[in-house]
Amino acid sequence: MSASGGTKAIVAALGANLAIAAAKFVAFLFSGSSSMLAESVHSLADSGNQGLLLLGGKKAQREATPQHPFGYGRERYIYAFLVSIVLFSVGGMFAIYEGYEKVMHPHEIEAWYWPVGVLIFAIIAESFSFRTAIKESNVTRGQLSWTDFVRRAKAPELPVVLLEDFAALIGLVLALCGVGVSLATGDGVWDGVGTLCIGVLLIVIALVLAAETKSLLLGESAGTEDVEKIKAALVDGDVVTDIIHMRTLHLGPDELLVAAKIAVQHDDTAAEVAHAINAAESRIREAVPIARVIYLEPDIYSERAAAQDPAAAENPDGPTPDPAH
């Protein structure tokens, strides 16, 4: 897994969640708090999610085969999508079920110091994990807002860990509120209400993760900055005079496919065109190192042909050709 995959953040979150899950479950055994049980399952699900992310990163490193000629980079997207399913089913649905049961059959929290102490410890531990994820994300986030980073990141691991840690911190606060109000009022219903809120929160986060990873699985183009770099590297102004149309596609977080039809002069020789294409490929790889699969098709540009070419008219990555050519 590349550095952009945030391995350090994943390992930090995994260690924190395993310790927190054990502590929460012990607190549940001593106190009978449904919020603590829901939170222990939540942390256990998060631990499994981080294991899935690490497994996906490992599988994505396999070499390309005849059956999979573009490699296995999208394994990381598949496992990130599985994370959203686990978070929804194991975390969210279990918390809602447990919260409903507690609201219907409330009982007073026993040994209150166990859940309160564990929740405070968990908030501190999750804060360190969240801080690590933020530091790792800042390396690649640039000037993007956090919302844009989650939506545009091509490596799914960091957005997943960020959202998981964010949800975990809010869930802990909700659990603490549920336990606190139950202790203050002597009514265990509030513990169940806090558990229901945790379940709703987890389902919302799971749906956001599912939507973002679905987009990656369908295939996303390169980011705007990389597209501009590729366009600038393609045209040399000598043999390659313009881009008729261009497509980019992420084969994985660290591998980009570039396909373009480029305009050349009608009197250029085959040798000159071949040399220009090789030079353009080198410039693209230098400008955008993750552009590893490049297909360039030379063509004699004509305004009439461009008008009849639907691919040129529907071009998300390349400019409309200059009619002056």
Side-chain angles (χ1 to χ4, degrees):
M1 189 184 301
S2 71
S4 61
T7 306
K8 183 177 179 181
I10 298 173
V11 172
L14 177 60
N17 280 317
L18 286 173
I20 292 170
K24 288 175 181 175
F25 190 71
V26 171
F28 159 70
L29 292 177
F30 279 94
S31 67
S33 167
S34 67
S35 290
M36 295 308 303
L37 179 58
E39 274 296 307
S40 65
V41 173
H42 173 194
S43 295
L44 193 61
D46 280 353
S47 301
N49 289 341
Q50 276 108 44
L52 285 173
L53 292 176
L54 291 171
L55 179 61
K58 183 69 174 177
K59 285 183 171 291
Q61 295 175 358
R62 289 180 293 172
E63 296 293 331
T65 64
Q67 187 177 6
H68 298 279
F70 293 114
Y72 293 85
R74 290 195 179 184
E75 289 267 19
R76 287 164 69 177
Y77 300 153
I78 293 171
Y79 280 85
F81 189 76
L82 289 176
V83 163
S84 67
I85 296 174
V86 171
L87 192 63
F88 176 87
S89 58
V90 178
M93 296 305 293
F94 178 84
I96 287 181
Y97 168 77
E98 184 65 23
Y100 174 79
E101 285 294 313
K102 187 60 179 285
V103 169
M104 292 295 99
H105 308 94
H107 63 81
E108 188 174 348
I109 295 176
E110 304 170 0
W112 62 268
Y113 42 85
W114 274 100
V116 171
V118 167
L119 286 171
I120 293 174
F121 160 74
I123 289 173
I124 295 172
E126 284 288 359
S127 296
F128 278 106
S129 175
F130 193 40
R131 178 173 175 269
T132 302
I134 290 174
K135 288 178 65 177
E136 289 279 289
S137 299
N138 281 333
V139 175
T140 57
R141 183 169 66 96
Q143 300 300 315
L144 293 175
S145 66
W146 285 109
T147 301
D148 287 340
F149 173 71
V150 170
R151 296 189 63 182
R152 299 182 188 180
K154 306 305 180 184
E157 291 85 1
L158 281 173
V160 168
V161 174
L162 277 169
L163 288 174
E164 278 189 348
D165 285 351
F166 177 71
L169 283 171
I170 294 184
L172 288 168
V173 172
L174 290 173
L176 190 58
C177 289
V179 170
V181 175
S182 291
L183 291 173
T185 61
D187 188 352
V189 168
W190 292 105
D191 187 31
V193 171
T195 307
L196 286 171
C197 291
I198 292 169
V200 172
L201 170 69
L202 294 180
I203 289 174
V204 169
I205 295 296
L207 292 175
V208 171
L209 285 176
E212 294 305 318
T213 51
K214 173 192 171 185
S215 178
L216 292 169
L217 278 171
L218 288 174
E220 289 189 356
S221 64
T224 304
E225 184 179 348
D226 283 343
V227 168
E228 293 303 318
K229 290 179 180 178
I230 293 169
K231 284 157 54 176
L234 258 177
V235 178
D236 62 9
D238 183 17
V239 178
V240 182
T241 58
D242 213 332
I243 303 170
I244 298 175
H245 61 81
M246 184 176 78
R247 297 288 187 272
T248 61
L249 178 69
H250 268 274
L251 301 174
D254 305 316
E255 190 169 15
L256 185 66
L257 180 148
V258 179
K261 180 177 282 190
I262 54 177
V264 298
Q265 302 292 345
H266 70 280
D267 55 351
D268 290 332
T269 66
E272 289 173 333
V273 172
H275 177 74
I277 287 176
N278 291 334
E281 290 178 352
S282 296
R283 293 195 301 270
I284 291 172
R285 290 192 174 98
E286 184 177 354
V288 183
I290 65 171
R292 299 178 186 174
V293 183
I294 304 173
Y295 298 108
L296 302 180
E297 178 187 354
D299 199 359
I300 307 299
Y301 176 76
S302 73
E303 186 176 352
R304 184 175 66 180
Q308 296 173 349
D309 186 352
E314 301 173 1
N315 181 19
D317 288 339
T320 300
D322 186 349
H325 288 288

